[in-house]
Amino acid sequence: MRHLVLLVLALMLSGCGYNQIQQKDEAVNAGWSEVLNQYKRRADLVPNLVSTVKGYAAHEQQVLTAVTEARAKVGEINVDAGDPASLEQFQQAQGELSSALSRLMVVVENYPNLKADRGFLDLQTQLEGTENRIAVARGRYIQLVQDYNIYVRSFPQNLIAKMFGYGPRPNFSVENERAIQEAPAVDFGGPDPAATAPQPQPAG
């Protein structure tokens, strides 16, 4: 009799979405791990990037310090993706690092020798690739969380979700998602076409 009750309960849970909740929850966790991996990859590039830039532009101390401090702040955060306040703090810190890197890249434009440095070019390529991977990982995570949230809020899965302690998860904000799409400008591949285009001559 006991086995029959357990079998019926298992069938009920499966029919009400328990297994799907588990699958979607695991997918969200995996997506979040990838987001963290890509952000860590970016943070790991910062010390070498700062060191390389300092070799050519040591007097740009304010910008270099801002990048270093922003990177340190990111490293101090022990983020809990299930806590809205913790996720917001994480977003803000990552946004500050993105802004600091953008300002650093503006400074780099003033140093042609730095832009031609082989070590810097390698770091530039790695940073650009990492920014793209961050955007992809974040976009996928946003979709996974949206899918999970819709599912656990829908009837009858919401009853099972509440029974086993699965609630909606916080997600990246729209404002922050728009900002992350504007990755630091790291492309120094050639001159600006607009700068080299023939200029119209005044009528004589």
Side-chain angles (χ1 to χ4, degrees):
M1 183 65 178
R2 180 183 177 185
H3 293 294
L4 179 60
V5 171
L6 292 175
L7 178 60
V8 171
L9 180 60
L11 291 173
M12 288 177 61
L13 290 175
S14 178
C16 290
Y18 177 81
N19 290 340
Q20 288 83 352
I21 292 174
Q22 299 300 311
Q23 293 169 3
K24 292 178 184 296
D25 183 64
E26 286 300 320
V28 170
N29 290 337
W32 177 245
S33 294
E34 182 61 18
V35 169
L36 290 180
N37 285 341
Q38 296 307 328
Y39 272 128
K40 183 180 184 302
R41 179 184 175 88
R42 181 175 72 169
D44 289 344
L45 289 173
V46 169
N48 285 339
L49 182 65
V50 169
S51 178
T52 301
V53 173
K54 187 181 295 185
Y56 289 87
H59 62 283
E60 302 284 358
Q61 194 59 46
Q62 184 175 356
V63 177
L64 293 169
T65 299
V67 173
T68 301
E69 291 179 348
R71 193 256 188 186
K73 185 175 181 180
V74 164
E76 293 171 356
I77 295 177
N78 186 17
V79 60
D80 175 5
D83 178 9
S86 179
L87 183 60
E88 176 62 29
Q89 183 185 30
F90 176 80
Q91 290 186 90
Q92 182 177 352
Q94 294 293 351
E96 289 174 2
L97 180 54
S98 293
S99 297
L101 286 170
S102 293
R103 291 192 295 272
L104 180 64
M105 292 306 170
V106 170
V107 167
V108 167
E109 284 288 349
N110 299 322
Y111 297 88
N113 290 339
L114 170 59
K115 290 163 58 177
D117 180 89
R118 185 179 298 275
F120 176 78
L121 290 173
D122 181 58
L123 288 168
Q124 167 201 331
T125 300
Q126 292 185 59
L127 180 60
E128 184 178 33
T130 301
E131 293 291 351
N132 290 335
R133 283 189 286 269
I134 287 173
V136 170
R138 282 174 56 97
R140 182 171 182 270
Y141 179 73
I142 288 171
Q143 293 177 349
L144 289 170
V145 172
Q146 288 175 342
D147 180 61
Y148 167 85
N149 285 347
I150 290 172
Y151 194 80
V152 299
R153 285 173 173 154
S154 301
F155 182 83
Q157 305 86 264
N158 61 332
L159 302 178
I160 298 298
K162 289 180 181 179
M163 184 184 302
F164 289 92
Y166 290 94
R169 292 199 181 198
N171 210 342
F172 287 113
S173 66
V174 174
E175 293 77 10
N176 193 255
E177 181 58 24
R178 185 182 302 113
I180 201 65
Q181 296 299 332
E182 300 176 2
V186 294
D187 183 11
F188 302 121
D192 182 356
T196 58
Q199 299 298 314
Q201 298 298 319

